[in-house]
Amino acid sequence: MMKWEADDLPKYFEAKEYIDTVLVPLIPIQLSNEADSLKLANYQKTLQIIAREAERDFAGRMLLSPVYTYVQAASYQKEQERINQWIQLLFKEDFKHVFFLTFDVKWKKEEKGLDGTLLWLPGTVIENYQSVLTKKWINEQTSQLNELIKSFW
Amino acid sequence: MSEKKQQVSRRQFLNYTLTGVGGFMAASMLAPMVRFAIDPVLTASTAGEMQAVVDVSEITTDPQRFDWTVEQVDAWYTSDVTHSAWVYKNENDEIVPLSPTCTHLGCSVSWAGNEDYPDQFYCPCHDGRYQKDGTNVADTPPPAPLALYEYEVRDGTLYLGQPVPRGGV
């Protein structure tokens, strides 16, 4: 498992030559309005689950980056510059494939400026994570996401 | 006279009670600390329990992937962790529950994951391959066969425990 965790990082440094892919979740936050905040918090949880599932399948080739968190009302132009700076400083040298994973549709418009491939999934608010339907949905999302990532290799 | 009657002197009585109360207080403070210190030891046993995975009737001769979720407690943090297994029945009607974790670097393998090798497990990360019984194919990256889960069948349900690694070829 290659996550940003003290248990995993030694494995990353040991197997560095095999790890050429990084997945960066992009997660917006805001606190000005209750309904939207709840929605974003729910999206965050779901996106993390999907990211971890993808990581579970590709642990030997993909590093799951810490989440890039930004304020929803902020300038996407500025965030994009900062994200690209992350990529340059952290991942540019060792990673051939950089993927961004998000439910935030606004990135779709900024896609070209991002230093990597945007994987945008339409979000759904999930009420019961234990339900069979939710599990099925998450499985579907994960397996399609994985197909997509594989197609870049 | 009166001193003879007193079998427990005032000083002794105070000593006993203070030691008793003090000891009780010390014990009540230490007990949770000790418990806290060895807590992971106490919970470790639950992680090794067998988990119900699937009804035996669903298992076929073709490997199928089954997922199950366990609550994992890492000292301060409880999380749901999903595990998977590739399960099939071999020609002797024995259940073979294979761990999907590639022995190379830990990606998940899938049965017939590559069109060119429909009768093998395939790892998409670095093209590792395994035979149906989990043996790694020579000249592909994996150094060892896929691990086999401990298993048992109770009341028609397959229970899986820990994956047991097998030695390299």
Side-chain angles (χ1 to χ4, degrees), chain A residues 2 15 18-19 53 56-61 130 135 139 150 153, chain B residues 65 67 69 80 82-84 104-108 113 124-126:
Chain A
M2 303 283 178
Y18 293 106
I19 319 293
E53 280 298 295
R56 201 160 69 90
D57 279 350
F58 296 146
R61 188 162 174 183
Q130 298 308 322
K135 285 182 181 165
N139 267 340
K150 264 193 264 181
W153 286 347
Chain B
R65 178 175 158 157
D67 294 338
T69 306
D80 286 339
T82 307
H83 296 277
S84 311
H104 177 221
L105 287 167
C107 295
S108 299
C125 290
H126 304 99

Side-chain angles (χ1 to χ4, degrees), chain A residues 1-3 7-9 11 52 55-56 59-60, chain B residues 105-106:
Chain A
M1 299 272 160
M2 303 283 178
K3 294 182 283 291
D7 286 350
D8 284 4
L9 288 173
K11 284 181 237 163
R52 287 184 95 96
E55 187 272 342
R56 201 160 69 90
Chain B
L105 287 167

Side-chain angles (χ1 to χ4, degrees), chain B residues 72-153:
Chain B
Q72 184 174 294
V73 183
D74 292 334
W76 288 274
Y77 183 70
T78 310
S79 54
D80 286 339
V81 181
T82 307
H83 296 277
S84 311
W86 285 95
V87 187
Y88 70 93
K89 267 183 191 157
N90 67 12
E91 53 273 24
N92 303 325
D93 220 31
E94 291 160 343
I95 293 171
V96 184
L98 288 164
S99 157
T101 307
C102 181
T103 53
H104 177 221
L105 287 167
C107 295
S108 299
V109 304
S110 32
W111 176 249
N114 184 324
E115 295 167 354
D116 298 338
Y117 306 101
D119 295 326
Q120 291 182 346
F121 289 99
Y122 177 75
C123 175
C125 290
H126 304 99
D127 300 321
R129 287 185 279 125
Y130 303 84
Q131 308 289 358
K132 191 175 180 182
D133 66 359
T135 316
N136 48 315
V137 173
D139 299 323
T140 69
L146 294 171
L148 270 172
Y149 279 101
E150 299 170 331
Y151 79 96
E152 62 187 41
V153 175

Side-chain angles (χ1 to χ4, degrees), chain B residues 59-72:
Chain B
I59 301 171
T60 63
T61 52
D62 277 327
Q64 296 176 81
R65 178 175 158 157
F66 298 106
D67 294 338
W68 69 100
T69 306
V70 232
E71 196 175 78
Q72 184 174 294

Side-chain angles (χ1 to χ4, degrees), chain A residues 60-73:
Chain A
R61 188 162 174 183
M62 190 174 82
L63 178 75
L64 178 58
S65 151
V67 169
Y68 183 88
T69 313
Y70 55 96
V71 181
Q72 200 183 29

Side-chain angles (χ1 to χ4, degrees), chain A residues 58-115:
Chain A
F58 296 146
R61 188 162 174 183
M62 190 174 82
L63 178 75
L64 178 58
S65 151
V67 169
Y68 183 88
T69 313
Y70 55 96
V71 181
Q72 200 183 29
S75 144
Y76 277 63
Q77 192 58 42
K78 283 224 178 78
E79 293 301 336
Q80 183 211 69
E81 281 166 23
R82 242 190 110 231
I83 292 171
N84 287 345
Q85 198 184 22
W86 260 45
I87 302 307
Q88 289 297 334
L89 297 177
L90 286 170
F91 305 125
K92 204 64 210 174
E93 257 178 52
D94 299 312
F95 295 89
K96 223 166 86 192
H97 306 284
V98 177
F99 293 104
F100 301 104
L101 180 66
T102 190
F103 282 148
D104 185 352
V105 69
K106 286 192 190 153
W107 285 115
K108 198 72 198 139
K109 263 166 90 184
E110 309 287 334
E111 194 174 8
K112 288 211 176 70
L114 284 171
D115 238 352

